[in-house]
Amino acid sequence: MRKSLLYLFLILISWKSISQGNVDLNYANKYAVALNGSTLGGGIEVARNLSPHFNIRLRGNTLSIKNFVQEIEVDDANLNVTANTRFLEFDLSLEYLPFKASSFKLVGGASHFSDGNTKAFATYDGTFEYGEIVLGPEEIGDLQLSLDYNGFAPYFGLGFGRAVPKRKIGLAFEAGSFYLPEPQVGITASGMLEPTANEADSLQEDIKDYRWFPFINLRLSIRI
């Protein structure tokens, strides 16, 4: 009886090892495609499994916000601000899963922002009185501010869910940050606001350290 139980135990262990080996074998060197929704808009991704602990992936994201209008009240008149933002980003990253039985991951990589631009156009809707002098929108003028983040940016993040899922379909969550290139500031202005354009260098110096871009991503992937 004891020998029979021992043989059964050995058979179960061997079967589990063989089954696990087949799972790893079937999972190794697989690819996946994914759709992303993130703070960088929407994107697509291609990933390849290197081992049970490592996945490599190539991803592209794009974000476009057009004609976002904000009204700011100044001295009983409105300052109308219209903003437009564009981001086009590509990154290559490596995913490390320290625990074989868990989908927790650490991610590191490098990205390139080829079209990272934000423009804001401000106009004064009203009149400004200075003593007996009344100035209208044309005399006050308008102002346009641009910020350009173009170049390479390192990335680090963490999350749950493999880039190449063990099953056919996988969901993943990731949070991290890009360290963007130093922004390039441009200011153009007209009317009474025209001298403001001379403050571009000063503004660039003030915001040169504002380079961390938070990244939160949800991904749906299909193993192929």
Side-chain angles (χ1 to χ4, degrees):
M1 182 66 178
R2 291 181 180 179
K3 288 184 178 182
S4 299
L5 291 175
L6 179 60
Y7 290 150
L8 179 60
F9 179 71
L10 292 174
I11 290 173
L12 289 174
I13 292 178
S14 300
W15 178 82
K16 184 177 180 180
S17 300
I18 293 172
S19 299
Q20 184 64 44
N22 289 334
V23 170
D24 292 341
L25 182 61
N26 292 332
Y27 176 61
N29 301 322
K30 292 292 184 178
Y31 292 85
V33 294
L35 295 176
N36 296 285
S38 70
T39 49
L40 272 176
I44 58 175
E45 177 185 300
V46 177
R48 184 179 188 271
N49 168 250
L50 301 177
S51 76
H53 294 285
F54 289 97
N55 296 311
I56 191 169
R57 67 191 192 188
L58 177 64
R59 179 174 55 193
N61 292 295
T62 182
L63 173 67
S64 179
I65 300 175
K66 295 182 179 180
N67 299 325
F68 176 79
V69 178
Q70 180 70 41
E71 292 185 355
I72 303 174
E73 187 174 336
V74 180
D75 295 331
D76 297 325
N78 290 327
L79 181 66
N80 298 319
V81 180
T82 303
N84 294 277
T85 296
R86 296 194 315 272
F87 276 106
L88 179 61
E89 178 271 337
F90 296 94
D91 62 76
L92 180 66
S93 56
L94 185 66
E95 208 176 69
Y96 171 59
L97 297 102
F99 311 110
K100 193 172 181 179
S102 172
S103 64
F104 173 76
K105 63 186 179 183
L106 301 173
V107 185
S111 64
H112 183 262
F113 286 79
S114 59
D115 191 9
N117 179 272
T118 297
K119 291 183 178 179
F121 183 74
T123 58
Y124 192 74
D125 182 17
T127 58
F128 178 77
E129 296 183 7
Y130 185 76
E132 297 182 354
I133 301 174
V134 179
L135 302 173
E138 293 183 358
E139 290 80 15
I140 296 173
D142 52 49
L143 182 146
Q144 180 170 290
L145 169 68
S146 65
L147 296 176
D148 290 315
Y149 290 92
N150 292 318
F152 286 95
Y155 171 76
F156 177 78
L158 52 84
F160 292 90
R162 295 172 173 84
V164 180
K166 286 191 172 183
R167 299 176 182 269
K168 186 66 176 179
I169 297 176
L171 294 173
F173 169 80
E174 184 177 329
S177 180
F178 294 94
Y179 187 64
L180 299 176
E182 185 174 328
Q184 301 299 310
V185 178
I187 300 177
T188 58
S190 63
M192 294 181 62
L193 296 176
E194 188 171 354
T196 309
N198 299 325
E199 300 298 321
D201 291 340
S202 177
L203 179 59
Q204 181 163 328
E205 181 67 22
D206 291 340
I207 68 171
K208 68 178 183 179
D209 295 326
Y210 290 87
R211 299 167 62 181
W212 293 102
F213 187 94
F215 181 72
I216 299 176
N217 184 51
L218 292 174
R219 186 181 76 244
L220 174 65
S221 57
I222 301 175
R223 196 180 76 178
I224 56 177

